[in-house]
Amino acid sequence: MSNEKPPILPSGEEPAQVFDPLMPPAGPAPPMDYGVPPTGYGAPAPFQPPYAVYYSPPGAGSTEDPILQPPQTITITPVQPCNEPDHLGYSIFTMLCCCLPLGIAALVYSIQTRNANLMGRTIVAKQKSRRALNFAHSAVCVGIVFIILNIIRLVVCRDKY
């Protein structure tokens, strides 16, 4: 430490010791007596707070008034739903009557279109609507091809039976 004189406190007193966080406190170490340890299996460990409780003297607190902030208004604007066609009926028809796998894909995209419409996501709704329509058209085309092939098979194979 240096030979400087410790500062004088506002009350006019000189501090007994200047606090230095790197220096250990002067005097003997406090006793580590936690009382008689409890005996027996499963007995709880003794409890001692890790620090001393400090109560400030009366009138030592802040005398300033609390800072109040004005209430803030939060405006929630409802989402504007978009009106892209979801082709749900067409998708169900193609699933049941034409081609099951492509109809199921069309149905899934139709439901996703409906959800995007409700959430106001116009671009996603347009994409899903277009895919649902493409899958539904593909299911109808595959269904028509299967019907034509079955008619040809029946006409060709009719003479064999």
Side-chain angles (χ1 to χ4, degrees):
M1 293 192 76
S2 64
N3 293 334
E4 294 178 11
K5 186 174 181 183
I8 298 176
L9 297 175
S11 62
E13 304 172 355
E14 290 186 7
Q17 180 182 8
V18 177
F19 176 72
D20 185 6
L22 299 177
M23 297 293 296
M32 302 299 272
D33 183 24
Y34 293 109
V36 178
T39 58
Y41 181 74
F47 175 75
Q48 182 172 357
Y51 52 87
V53 180
Y54 173 76
Y55 294 103
S56 63
S62 174
T63 59
E64 296 180 14
D65 291 333
I67 299 173
L68 300 176
Q69 298 207 1
Q72 298 179 4
T73 57
I74 298 174
T75 306
I76 300 174
T77 57
V79 176
Q80 296 293 327
C82 48
N83 295 323
E84 289 297 318
D86 57 3
H87 309 292
L88 187 63
Y90 187 34
S91 299
I92 292 173
F93 169 75
T94 58
M95 181 180 69
L96 297 176
C97 300
C98 299
C99 180
L100 183 66
L102 292 175
I104 289 174
L107 181 67
V108 167
Y109 280 112
S110 296
I111 293 170
Q112 289 177 353
T113 301
R114 182 170 282 191
N115 291 341
N117 278 336
L118 292 176
M119 293 171 54
R121 301 175 69 192
T122 308
I123 297 172
V124 174
K126 285 181 182 179
Q127 292 172 349
K128 302 294 182 179
S129 175
R130 191 175 325 122
R131 286 185 185 162
L133 189 62
N134 287 341
F135 274 114
H137 286 330
S138 299
V140 168
C141 291
V142 169
I144 290 173
V145 167
F146 278 135
I147 290 172
I148 291 173
L149 289 176
N150 275 333
I151 291 173
I152 292 173
R153 183 182 59 88
L154 288 175
V155 169
V156 171
C157 295
R158 184 179 72 165
D159 296 335
K160 293 182 182 178
Y161 293 115

